[in-house]
Amino acid sequence: MSYQRGDVVWGPDPFKTGENPRPWLILNNGRHPFDGEEYMTITLTTTPHDEGIPLDDDDWVEGGMPRQSYASPWTVASPKHAAIVRRQGRLEESFVQTVVDAPGSYLEPPDDD
């Protein structure tokens, strides 16, 4: 089984040692060169940040989180399929697209002030 855009999965946490998986939102579509083998993801967290995108109950197509959570579009990872522990659910495409659009502002050329 491969995972799809909008799936929330639990996988490796590069910020902690040991077997502490964390939730990741899969962003890529079927055109990813290694679709089904690895995924473009951003992390979900319960820690509020000014730039975090809050998840509401109505953002979920299926599944959910037990606590208020946020997408952190600046925290990108590319976990391998074999490293994913389990699937949590799926988010609405409109929420996923909001997250996909957010990192663009971090990647634009700097202003020449």
Side-chain angles (χ1 to χ4, degrees):
M1 166 188 171
S2 65
Y3 300 102
Q4 306 297 313
R5 178 180 170 103
D7 284 347
V8 174
V9 298
W10 287 77
D13 186 343
F15 311 111
K16 296 182 181 171
T17 59
E19 299 289 325
N20 261 346
R22 72 171 307 122
W24 296 95
L25 170 59
I26 295 178
L27 302 177
N28 60 279
N29 56 32
R31 292 188 302 265
H32 186 287
F34 301 101
D35 188 49
E37 295 177 37
E38 66 182 40
Y39 305 94
M40 293 177 64
T41 65
I42 59 95
T43 190
L44 301 181
T45 182
T46 56
T47 305
H49 297 284
D50 289 343
E51 298 294 324
I53 302 170
L55 275 155
D56 296 320
D57 288 342
D58 60 345
D59 292 322
W60 290 90
V61 173
E62 63 178 274
M65 292 292 221
R67 295 175 42 200
Q68 175 62 57
S69 298
Y70 306 84
S72 302
W74 58 90
T75 309
V76 180
S78 186
K80 304 284 186 205
H81 181 83
I84 294 174
V85 177
R86 66 182 168 90
R87 184 174 177 271
Q88 178 83 18
R90 178 173 292 217
L91 292 167
E92 291 282 353
E93 175 58 27
S94 59
F95 182 86
V96 176
Q97 190 59 50
T98 297
V99 173
V100 166
D101 292 343
S105 66
Y106 309 140
L107 304 172
E108 295 171 352
D111 293 334
D112 291 334
D113 292 335

